[in-house]
Amino acid sequence: MVSFILSCHAQNNQEINNLVSFAKAYGYVKYFHPSTEADQVDWGWFSVYGSEQVMQCENTEELLQTMQRIFEPIAPTVSFSFAQPSADYPIEAKPTNEQGYLLVYWQHFGVSRDMNKGNPLYRSIKVNSLQKTDGNETPSGETQESNPNKKAGKDELAPAPPLFQGSPKENENWTAQIGKELWISMPLLLYSKDGQTFPKSTTDIEEFMVSGEQTTATDASSLSFRCGNLINTWNVFQHFYPYFTEMSIDWDNELKASLTRTYKSDSDGHVDDLKRLTSALKDNHVSVRGTENPYFAPPIDVAWIEGQLVITEVFDPTMGFKPGDTIEQINGATPQQLYENLRPKISAATQGWFDYIAPILMITGKLNTTLNITVAGKTAELERKLNYYAQKDSIKPSEPGYRFLEDGIVYLNLDAIPMDTINKIMPQLEKSKAIIADVRGYPNNNHELIRHLISKKDDHKWMQVDHFIYPDQQQIPGYSDFGWSMEPKDPFLGDKKVIFITDGRAVSYAESYLGFIEGYKLATIIGQPSSGTNGNVNSFTLPGDYIISFTGMRVLKHDGSQLHGIGFLPDAYVERTIEGVRAGRDEFLEKAIELAKQ
């Protein structure tokens, strides 16, 4: 029995090492090899197909042969070897007569290749490949206005212009070690004529896919399907995630660990496998979603306060619960146990974000499912009917989003109040002695308020999108930076006492807001550190309709220092207490009022 177990373990190790080698080659070819055939392949299918093929290899000799066989139809100039290959451009990748050929290569502005459409900021393009024009672009990227003698007709094909300056070296062959004894080499520039790169594959790519699809797994009950999705996911971040250095992430190790875990998993655990892999990124924008919405809750809201799971809102008074009740068990487990079990499944840049998300996941699940919670020794069965993110706020008593407090203090709930309402009460704000702005969450598109707080034109560039032309984020040629370029607007409110309240729920747009407040010293910040993640979200869909989102750009504080994983720190810290919830007190607002009166 012992020898059998050892034999299985050795076989699994061989398969996992094979998968790691395939994973690295997969990403290099998908994102950086500019062959025409690579543009035509279904990469979601290929990640599963390739996983199945390499898992069957019993040694490195078989692995090399298999890798060469499955990649040749997609990338005929890619080769695998046991010795480090030459960095010289391969002779067979260059036509005898170069006349009429263009050099094509990949440029990624962030990344859009195989990404979900929805964020036009990120782009990937194969430079000099033939693209349809809108009748306004020319082969050089000039417009009709800049050079009326160079026109491309509407829907005609023209070479795609570069997104930025920089290209791979013309006579360079990319080489990398992808396993203990295995190397890959491939040109990053290819010669292309009439939309076909040289040399053309001897295998028809459509026939290759149709033949392979007959035996390729199509759902997560198959090990190769789960491995393919993990490999696909790993590569997106390997080549384009902006925060590996800041968060000290060993991404190679995470690949091997995730593949090892999925050997013991099944279709029901596939979402958790993807969550465990992406949790290592420590990115609050990371989410993994399957085909069903798992965010339905019973008619309560909860929060993690003083190390306890506390009921903060009760939407059904007949339940017998009240704010401030502490939950002792959920389905027989203590909240503390669930809290620790969730840690490897939540991608959190800061503790504050984890403490915000973990309680939500403790009570949410699929629609119409039930959970048993124990409060004060009594257990009740609750049904999940409430769409937590879509309905929770809508069933609360409506508030105007602002309050006029004593001593000339105006309170603005930036998570609720729209900008047009702020404009309507601008005369009262102008007459006020102090303004309290609450950003414990996500502002309601009201950042124009900042213009009334600044006294000079804003010129900070605090968002950066990297430019990629090489794999593994090597030799990055530069980045494009952005800001909001805000200008002051009357009436000026910055001469008053201004206090901003925040905590670990403040993410993304909220932290753009806070960047101005801290960067220009526009207010006193109180509460807890913000969540530490900002930047436009990118997302992709895996086979099986699993959707993964993430932060696609680097965002800094206005002084150029690190924001991710740190957040904006308050000038005065405030703790929420269970006793405060029971008494219906808002301790954060109380502290803000105290400071406003000083």
Side-chain angles (χ1 to χ4, degrees):
M1 177 62 73
V2 173
S3 62
F4 174 75
I5 293 174
L6 291 175
S7 175
C8 289
H9 181 70
Q11 179 62 29
N12 284 355
N13 274 344
Q14 178 66 55
E15 291 180 14
I16 290 167
N17 289 336
N18 293 348
L19 288 164
V20 169
S21 296
F22 169 68
K24 294 185 175 183
Y26 172 91
Y28 293 154
V29 177
K30 176 178 180 179
Y31 293 112
F32 297 96
H33 190 67
S35 67
T36 304
E37 292 80 5
D39 293 340
Q40 298 171 299
V41 74
D42 180 338
W43 285 100
W45 161 77
F46 187 69
S47 67
V48 180
Y49 169 78
S51 295
E52 178 63 34
Q53 297 298 307
V54 302
M55 285 166 60
Q56 300 174 32
C57 300
E58 296 183 0
N59 51 56
T60 52
E61 288 78 10
E62 286 187 21
L63 177 62
L64 184 147
Q65 294 171 9
T66 299
M67 295 270 276
Q68 198 69 59
R69 173 176 59 82
I70 65 176
F71 276 99
E72 193 282 333
I74 299 170
T77 53
V78 171
S79 64
F80 300 90
S81 62
F82 290 130
Q84 183 172 359
S86 170
D88 295 332
Y89 193 86
I91 299 298
E92 62 272 16
K94 183 178 292 189
T96 305
N97 183 357
E98 299 176 21
Q99 185 175 359
Y101 281 89
L102 296 171
L103 277 172
V104 296
Y105 55 95
W106 277 105
Q107 284 189 341
H108 301 281
F109 187 92
V111 61
S112 68
R113 181 162 169 75
D114 248 15
M115 297 289 110
N116 295 332
K117 295 179 180 178
N119 197 320
L121 173 66
Y122 304 118
R123 296 189 64 193
S124 295
I125 195 165
K126 193 164 74 172
V127 177
N128 286 328
S129 63
L130 296 182
Q131 306 279 335
K132 283 187 178 180
T133 71
D134 61 4
N136 207 31
E137 290 183 347
T138 70
S140 65
E142 298 169 318
T143 64
Q144 289 184 17
E145 289 76 13
S146 64
N147 191 340
N149 296 319
K150 291 184 177 181
K151 298 181 181 179
K154 186 175 182 180
D155 293 333
E156 290 183 3
L157 297 178
L163 298 172
F164 48 80
Q165 290 186 342
S167 68
K169 295 177 183 176
E170 187 169 337
N171 296 313
E172 179 183 37
N173 195 35
W174 169 266
T175 67
Q177 190 169 7
I178 58 174
K180 186 176 181 182
E181 301 174 321
L182 194 62
W183 289 76
I184 185 175
S185 66
M186 66 182 198
L188 301 182
L189 297 98
L190 288 177
Y191 288 81
S192 179
K193 188 176 184 179
D194 299 328
Q196 174 62 55
T197 49
F198 180 89
K200 185 177 181 180
S201 174
T202 58
T203 304
D204 183 88
I205 190 67
E206 289 190 12
E207 291 181 3
F208 170 66
M209 287 192 291
V210 169
S211 174
E213 285 170 357
Q214 296 174 7
T215 57
T216 303
T218 57
D219 63 64
S221 63
S222 167
L223 175 60
S224 62
F225 185 95
R226 300 195 302 274
C227 288
N229 276 354
L230 290 169
I231 286 169
N232 212 330
T233 301
W234 183 85
N235 270 290
V236 172
F237 300 107
Q238 168 67 11
H239 300 292
F240 306 108
Y241 184 60
Y243 291 117
F244 281 128
T245 301
E246 289 87 342
M247 305 310 287
S248 303
I249 300 166
D250 186 344
W251 197 230
D252 275 3
N253 184 64
E254 295 299 335
L255 171 62
K256 194 166 187 177
S258 69
L259 292 169
T260 301
R261 279 193 299 267
T262 204
Y263 265 71
K264 300 177 182 178
S265 186
D266 54 26
S267 57
D268 292 336
H270 188 44
V271 169
D272 276 356
D273 288 344
L274 293 167
K275 286 182 177 180
R276 286 176 181 271
L277 171 61
T278 54
S279 72
L281 297 167
K282 303 173 186 175
D283 175 8
N284 301 342
H285 280 147
V286 162
S287 70
V288 179
R289 305 185 295 280
T291 55
E292 289 189 83
N293 182 354
Y295 297 113
F296 285 91
I300 59 172
D301 202 0
V302 294
W304 194 255
I305 304 172
E306 298 184 88
Q308 304 287 324
L309 185 63
V310 181
I311 296 174
T312 56
E313 299 272 0
V314 178
F315 305 121
D316 181 357
T318 66
M319 296 171 57
F321 300 130
K322 59 184 182 299
D325 285 346
T326 58
I327 298 176
E328 296 159 358
Q329 287 191 337
I330 298 179
N331 293 336
T334 67
Q336 289 73 20
Q337 290 170 327
L338 297 174
Y339 182 90
E340 292 304 321
N341 291 340
L342 284 168
R343 193 174 291 279
K345 300 178 187 178
I346 297 175
S347 186
T350 58
Q351 187 64 43
W353 183 256
F354 181 85
D355 285 348
Y356 165 55
I357 294 295
I360 296 171
L361 297 183
M362 289 184 201
I363 64 168
T364 54
K366 295 177 182 177
L367 179 63
N368 296 329
T369 56
T370 60
L371 75 163
N372 294 317
I373 70 169
T374 303
V375 175
K378 296 181 180 180
T379 301
E381 184 180 81
L382 306 182
E383 190 171 7
R384 296 182 175 105
K385 290 280 192 181
L386 174 69
N387 187 322
Y388 186 84
Y389 289 106
Q391 296 174 277
K392 176 172 66 74
D393 291 334
S394 66
I395 63 176
K396 293 180 181 179
S398 60
E399 296 183 2
Y402 64 90
R403 279 183 268 166
F404 299 119
L405 307 177
E406 59 184 3
D407 297 330
I409 302 169
V410 181
Y411 168 78
L412 304 176
N413 180 359
L414 295 182
D415 297 347
I417 188 170
M419 193 64 212
D420 60 354
T421 301
I422 293 177
N423 287 331
K424 287 178 182 177
I425 64 169
M426 194 61 72
Q428 291 93 323
L429 291 172
E430 190 175 9
K431 295 175 184 177
S432 68
K433 295 181 179 178
I435 298 171
I436 297 172
D438 197 336
V439 65
R440 286 176 286 180
Y442 203 84
N444 186 16
N445 196 29
N446 47 33
H447 62 275
E448 286 288 304
L449 174 63
I450 296 169
R451 296 182 61 190
H452 296 278
L453 297 175
I454 57 176
S455 58
K456 61 179 181 179
K457 183 178 179 180
D458 158 53
D459 58 1
H460 285 135
K461 305 293 185 184
W462 37 277
M463 298 177 282
Q464 300 176 350
V465 179
D466 284 329
H467 303 163
F468 301 101
I469 55 176
Y470 284 94
D472 297 328
Q473 303 193 35
Q474 294 189 19
Q475 302 180 54
I476 294 176
Y479 60 84
S480 296
D481 54 4
F482 308 90
W484 282 0
S485 301
M486 303 189 81
E487 295 189 6
K489 185 176 182 180
D490 290 331
F492 178 60
L493 304 176
D495 55 349
K496 307 176 186 307
K497 185 172 285 188
V498 182
I499 299 166
F500 266 66
I501 306 174
T502 192
D503 65 8
R505 291 172 288 178
V507 67
S508 197
Y509 174 46
E511 294 189 289
S512 296
Y513 222 121
L514 290 168
F516 282 85
I517 303 309
E518 182 192 76
Y520 285 105
K521 297 179 173 54
L522 303 178
T524 299
I525 300 175
I526 74 161
Q528 292 287 309
S530 63
S531 75
T533 293
N534 193 10
N536 290 34
V537 175
N538 208 343
S539 70
F540 56 96
T541 300
L542 299 168
D545 290 330
Y546 302 94
I547 300 174
I548 298 179
S549 62
F550 65 100
T551 304
M553 65 194 301
R554 182 179 295 101
V555 178
L556 304 171
K557 296 186 178 183
H558 282 225
D559 63 1
S561 62
Q562 181 179 333
L563 165 65
H564 193 85
I566 297 173
F568 292 99
L569 309 184
D571 301 301
Y573 280 76
V574 182
E575 297 286 348
R576 195 177 188 186
T577 67
I578 297 173
E579 191 56 43
V581 175
R582 288 174 181 159
R585 294 169 51 208
D586 184 341
E587 291 143 312
F588 285 57
L589 181 55
E590 289 175 357
K591 181 64 176 179
I593 293 172
E594 175 191 326
L595 293 175
K597 289 181 176 180
Q598 290 179 357

